[in-house]
């Protein structure tokens, strides 16, 4: 069965600093991988997705993620965070149904 | 183009009452899903549908029923609400393995 692990429950980062959120997955075949962002009281917005091809994927809002098959990882990065990046981030894997990690809450300090 | 629309956005129920949550999508997607979101647990799949007239159980189906009589609508029913069903419910529809989410329904059972 597919599963997703986000090891970090909460990360605090200074505005302007870099951010990396970890995601590990368990899946038998080549996965479809996603990162979503959720602001408080809002729905989920798709940041980026990986299906195949180039292992470095660019998304919206300046985010990117790198697929590493050998490590079963799909980590999300942003070079310089803005206060508006404070939110909860979810990694997900999809075959015919989407399975989510528990989420990582990002706090941005001034 | 409204995308995925959930009705209602908020609801308070008394224990034992019944209700139906409506999810409507205007993107002609085949796959539709119902998730619940609880703190620290990410999103957990309740039921899903791979096409009109079909439904299947997800990770946490107990206490819920669903119907997909029309392709654009996916209904989630609670026959006898319990406090454990207090949650935020998200609907999603999917095309080409990419799910898109509604804004959520916040349900409180007292």
């Amino acid at each position: 069965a597919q599963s997703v692990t986000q090891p970090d429950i909460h990360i605090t980062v200074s505005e302007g600093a870099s951010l990396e959120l970890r995601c590990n997955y368990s899946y038998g075949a080549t996965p479809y991988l996603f990162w979503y962002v959720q602001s408080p009281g809002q729905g989920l917005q798709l940041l980026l997705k990986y299906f195949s091809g180039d292992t470095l994927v660019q998304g919206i809002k300046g985010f990117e993620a790198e697929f590493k098959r050998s490590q079963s990882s799909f980590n999300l990065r942003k070079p310089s965070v803005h206060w508006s990046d404070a939110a909860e981030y979810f990694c997900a894997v999809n075959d015919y149904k989407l399975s989510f990690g528990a989420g990582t809450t990002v706090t941005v300090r001034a | 183009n409204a995308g995925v629309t959930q009705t209602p956005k908020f609801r308070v129920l008394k224990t034992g009452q019944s209700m139906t949550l409506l999810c409507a999508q205007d993107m002609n997607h085949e796959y539709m899903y119902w998730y619940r979101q609880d703190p620290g647990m990410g999103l957990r799949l309740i039921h899903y549908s791979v096409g009109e007239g079909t439904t299947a159980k997800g990770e946490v189906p107990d206490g819920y029923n669903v119907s997909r009589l029309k392709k654009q609508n996916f209904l989630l029913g609670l026959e006898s609400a319990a406090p454990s069903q207090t949650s935020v419910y998200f609907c999603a529809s999917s095309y080409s393995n990419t799910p898109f989410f509604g804004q959520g329904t916040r349900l409180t059972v007292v």
Side-chain angles (χ1 to χ4, degrees):
Chain A
Q2 60 192 41
S3 66
V4 180
T5 302
Q6 293 180 246
D8 304 304
I9 297 173
H10 190 195
I11 287 180
T12 298
V13 61
S14 297
E15 191 168 16
S18 64
L19 174 68
E20 182 167 11
L21 304 181
R22 296 184 290 165
C23 173
N24 295 101
Y25 67 89
S26 172
Y27 187 63
T30 301
Y32 298 139
L33 293 161
F34 304 81
W35 275 99
Y36 287 86
V37 60
Q38 184 182 33
S39 297
Q42 302 297 310
L44 280 78
Q45 182 181 21
L46 179 65
L47 282 176
L48 47 78
K49 62 185 179 183
Y50 172 78
F51 284 4
S52 65
D54 193 346
T55 56
L56 186 62
V57 180
Q58 301 297 320
I60 63 171
K61 303 185 179 187
F63 284 91
E64 66 178 25
E66 185 172 12
F67 171 64
K68 292 186 177 180
R69 185 187 302 276
S70 62
Q71 299 177 18
S72 297
S73 68
F74 188 56
N75 294 349
L76 181 72
R77 300 192 293 251
K78 186 169 184 177
S80 178
V81 299
H82 186 262
W83 64 267
S84 60
D85 293 322
E88 190 162 18
Y89 292 80
F90 293 95
C91 181
V93 60
N94 193 18
D95 49 13
Y96 58 92
K97 54 183 179 178
L98 198 62
S99 295
F100 285 84
T104 299
T105 300
V106 173
T107 298
V108 180
R109 60 185 173 212
Chain B
N1 187 344
V4 180
T5 303
Q6 293 183 229
T7 308
K9 291 183 170 44
F10 303 93
R11 184 73 186 269
V12 178
L13 281 181
K14 293 183 178 180
T15 298
Q17 286 185 318
S18 63
M19 79 163 294
T20 300
L21 282 66
L22 170 63
C23 177
Q25 53 99 359
D26 60 4
M27 298 174 283
N28 203 36
H29 290 172
E30 290 292 339
Y31 287 45
M32 295 187 74
Y33 312 85
W34 275 107
Y35 290 87
R36 60 177 290 172
Q37 183 179 27
D38 303 290
M41 304 189 76
L43 280 81
R44 293 180 292 168
L45 182 63
I46 305 171
H47 287 280
Y48 64 99
S49 168
V50 300
E52 181 178 320
T54 73
T55 63
K57 294 180 180 179
E59 188 183 356
V60 289
D62 294 343
Y64 305 95
N65 57 76
V66 288
S67 64
R68 182 98 182 267
L69 299 180
K70 294 183 179 181
K71 186 177 185 179
Q72 64 268 34
N73 295 335
F74 194 30
L75 279 63
L76 178 70
L78 287 72
E79 292 185 347
S80 179
S84 61
Q85 294 177 304
T86 294
S87 187
V88 181
Y89 292 85
F90 286 98
C91 175
S93 69
S94 177
Y95 172 76
S96 190
N97 289 299
T98 302
F100 297 90
F101 284 83
Q103 289 301 301
T105 296
R106 184 172 297 275
L107 175 65
T108 302
V109 182
V110 298

